[in-house]
Amino acid sequence: MAEESTQSIEVDAPPERVMAVIADFESYPEWAKQVQATEVLASDDAGNPKQVRLTLDAGPIKDVYTLEYDWAADGRAVSWHLVKGQMQKAQDGRYTLADTPSGGTKVTYTLSVELVLPMIGLLRRKAEKMVMDTALKELKRRVESSGESTA
């Protein structure tokens, strides 16, 4: 399995609001720049998305892939793994949420991706860092901009 990359960001919102945005896959194309389309294929007993098909357009990397999600009972974490992909051999990821002293949320994103085509480790880590950096900033922007209407 490929090495993991991890990044964190602080969001000025409670963990419940952050997790609600993470779980709202239908809205991803509105705010996650590289996600062109999503389709929830199955949900778990609690109503959380269990399998989701995503269409990604990240410049030179375009892919349609399916992820399977595992939601923590406390609402503070979600992990996933690749079920099927075209450009990816494997993907494992996790969002972990923690309270901050200011009343916000520290979001930690861990990601490991293995592409079908081999990629030098340094380039792969650089690509993962760019994907995670963009995803965390877009998540923060989305959660904080929706604060007035959902608070």
Side-chain angles (χ1 to χ4, degrees), residues 9 11 13-20 22 74-78 94-100 104-109 136 139:
I9 197 168
V11 178
E16 304 76 43
R17 196 159 78 220
V18 175
M19 192 56 79
I22 291 170
D74 67 359
R76 298 297 179 107
V78 59
R94 181 172 58 255
Y95 279 112
T96 306
L97 310 183
D99 294 316
T100 63
T105 304
K106 178 181 179 184
V107 181
T108 301
Y109 184 14
L136 285 172
L139 174 65

Side-chain angles (χ1 to χ4, degrees), residues 15-89:
E16 304 76 43
R17 196 159 78 220
V18 175
M19 192 56 79
V21 170
I22 291 170
D24 183 12
F25 288 100
E26 290 84 2
S27 296
Y28 275 41
E30 296 172 13
W31 61 270
K33 292 178 195 164
Q34 299 170 338
V35 177
Q36 302 299 301
T38 60
E39 181 184 359
V40 175
L41 304 175
S43 297
D44 64 17
D45 293 339
N48 294 312
K50 183 73 176 167
Q51 280 200 358
V52 180
R53 182 183 306 123
L54 297 105
T55 303
L56 181 77
D57 185 350
I61 298 176
K62 296 174 180 24
D63 199 5
V64 176
Y65 56 99
T66 302
L67 299 176
E68 184 163 299
Y69 290 85
D70 183 25
W71 302 85
D74 67 359
R76 298 297 179 107
V78 59
S79 58
W80 62 87
H81 67 270
L82 182 72
V83 174
K84 182 170 70 172
Q86 298 169 346
M87 297 289 293
Q88 301 175 68
K89 240 196 300 199

